Amino acid sequence: LLPLCLLYFKRKFTDRTMKGQALLFISILLLGSVMGQVSYTIPEEITKGSFIGNIAQDLGLETKRLTSGKARIYSRDSDDYIELNRERGVLLVKERIDREVLCRQTTPCALHFQIILENPMEFYSVTVQITDINDNKPTFEEGEIKFKISESAFIGTTFVLERAADLDVGINAVQSYELKPTDNFALKLHNNADGNNNVEMVLQQPLDREKQEQISLVLTAVDGGEPHMSGTMLIVITVLDANDNAPVFTQPTYKATVHENSPKGTLVDIVSASDADHGSNGKITYSITNTLDNVRKVFEVNEENGDVNLIGNIDFEDSRNYQIHLLASDKGGLTDSCKLIVDVQDVNDNKPEIDIMSKSTVISEDAKLNTVVTMINIEDKDSGENGNVKCFISENVPFTLKTSTNNFYSLVTDSDLDREISSQYNITVTCSDEGVPSLSSSVTLTLQISDVNDNAPVFERSSYEAYIVENNTPGLSIFTVKARDDDWNQNARVSYILEDSSVNGVPVSSYVSVSADSGVIHAVRSFDYEQIKDFHFRVKAQDGGSPPLSSNVIVKVLIQDQNDNPPQVLYPVQTGGSLVAEMVPRSVDVGYLVTKVVAVDVDSGQNAWLSYKLQKATDRALFEVGLQNGEIRTIRQVTDKDAVKQRLTVIVEDNGQPSRSATVIVNVAVADTFPEVLSEFTDFTQDKEYNDNLTFYLVLALAVVSFLFITCLVVIISVKIYRWRQSRVMYHSNLPVIPYYPPRYSDTLGTGTLQHVYNYEVCRTTDSRKSDCKFGGAGSQNVLIMDPSPTGTMQRIQSEKSILDKPDSPLEVRPSPITYFVKTENHATEINCFLHF
């Protein structure tokens, strides 16, 4: 289709500019799209920004894929000429393309590059073929060439002429030559196997120096482009005297082989020619006639002996063979030509070149298998086995190299990644050719593994036990839990949370708290071992990932006992207003069990170990107390001399540090009959009550006197102030005088002043010596014990204080049915009052 279109437009358009535009229009043709490869054809020298092809449509991609995949052109040498418009999905000409500069005489001339896409990584091969236009005319290296030809030259003698050079190729290259005038010489062309023509000038008519000593000819080279372009060279022929024989080479074509990188001066081959003439006409001179290439810069021929030597660097990658055109000339101007074909043998002198087309520096540890990490292009300029390259990577890495197309490799994952095992990989890619010796090159890729929150925090222990002594200070640090997370950064940041639960129906948060950052467990309250001995709760460790992962652990807190409770006496029972006496007959034996002191301690352990000791006794030689059991026994026989009233003070002490104790008073009556006990304890009670009542009335009298003194002082001051104010008012005004009364005082039944009015209730029992007095008031309660003596004195004591240890307290004697109780309620502050019975 393309040649037909070109032929059509060749006939249709004559103007060169119109032809170029038409050629651009029809040349943008999709040649094929096989295995991800797209080809386009464009003419050279088209303007910058010209449209090449819709690459998105031809590859079956959407334009948004080009934008999201950050599509770009990857090429070693083509990125300066072609550009990709991602938004439109088209390829455009970036810079002016000169086919002669880009490819010289190589045909076809093409630009090869790849379209690289990311996320995921993909690439497509694209070929843009550059077609030639007739923009260069044929030229000769020299504008003038001179020959010296003997007049005796034979008809049919040939003279080799310089070929014209045309940078264009194909039909636009040199197609024909013309020689004018043609009186003596005709032009002869020889087609070579390489497609080039050897230009020879053939003598058709004998020369006559006497008629024409110098002949001028014009050689014109014409190309096949439209329009035709041409170049000329002037040929100046000097006619000499007769030289009958021309030099003749031993063979028309010579072949030689040379290794690339051979040193300068290396002998390539020897050419030889012979001349049948003698003397100066038989002396041959050798020369190289190449003009289109760099042969003269690489090779030279010895003018005298025909040795062809190297004078430049020879590189197989630049040129794989050379054709040297040699000329043998004698002094008479006769010549002969031959061709020397030099094949360059490749030497393994190029290392494989590793080019990173696209790579990722970071990959997530949860990446799937066969995820592309890096795309690599390998090139070895050598050929054959020297250019065969194999690549491999370092061992013990979870990656592998896969060959996608020739000389293209992809580094992909071939096993699961785990950042906690290895957070970074240094992957060395080594590429070696098969030459001898083998050459290799390598590149190291550093790949970071990004963290994924795939590890939950792990506590150092499966469970914890913490101990704290009771009566602790709130806020005290109890214990520290610690969890470790193998993840990194935010995913490894552990926070500690107290899980909701209850202890005996109370939220655990009212017992302990947990520091979110450090895991330190603090006591929120002061613990009492007697109320709670241990409790447990759960602490959750949660990381900062998304979503967060967590684990929990059970923490058991054990309360350690502290000796904070004194022993409590259960027996003998101590009542608020009576005492109990144990009666011991005088006829008892030694070791008689009088009674047993029973006490308990709510503490535990050694803090609850109790010991009993006799602190005070009326007669220490009569009784003893068991150290461990608290039993009170007699240690000797009771005699008549022993007092009836025996008072024992027993101290109960625990084993804590420091120890705590309690005391109990045991009253023992040593008598055989009850009347003896009653008479003894009755006198005792009356004497004691008399002393107590006397003290009470003395205190009461002192209070009354103080109250009256203060009242009189206030009344006197009030009267003085009243009279002074009255005199001032009478002096300044005629208003009547209003009496003044001090605040917070009121008249009570006309007998005096009190701040408050109190009501008293008096209740009598059958015993006129005992009374029960009650009155209302704010605050705590006090106890008044009434003395049964006729004086009626009242004594005040605090109700919270035990009266068991008072030697003068009222007494209850067993088994006598007579029991005395006194009970009184009083105001919290001292009140001065008179009681009348």
Side-chain angles (χ1 to χ4, degrees), residues 240-251:
L240 302 176
D241 282 336
N243 181 19
D244 298 332
N245 296 286
V248 178
F249 280 100
T250 57
Q251 55 188 34

Side-chain angles (χ1 to χ4, degrees), residues 530-548:
E530 288 70 39
Q531 294 181 0
I532 181 171
K533 293 180 173 56
D534 62 73
F535 63 93
H536 63 272
F537 54 89
R538 287 182 178 270
V539 175
K540 180 171 69 174
Q542 178 174 291
D543 59 27
S546 180

Side-chain angles (χ1 to χ4, degrees), residues 691-760:
N691 293 332
D692 292 342
N693 292 335
L694 180 61
T695 302
F696 170 74
Y697 286 116
L698 289 176
V699 172
L700 183 61
L702 180 59
V704 171
V705 171
S706 300
F707 175 75
L708 293 177
F709 172 74
I710 294 173
T711 302
C712 294
L713 185 60
V714 171
V715 170
I716 294 173
I717 294 175
S718 299
V719 171
K720 291 290 186 182
I721 294 175
Y722 170 75
R723 290 179 179 178
W724 176 77
R725 286 173 57 91
Q726 188 178 23
S727 63
R728 296 284 294 176
V729 171
M730 293 296 295
Y731 179 77
H732 293 286
S733 174
N734 295 325
L735 296 175
V737 178
I738 300 174
Y740 172 77
Y741 295 95
R744 301 180 66 190
Y745 284 87
S746 60
D747 188 18
T748 305
L749 301 178
T751 58
T753 59
L754 285 174
Q755 284 185 319
H756 301 282
V757 178
Y758 291 85
N759 298 322
Y760 301 89

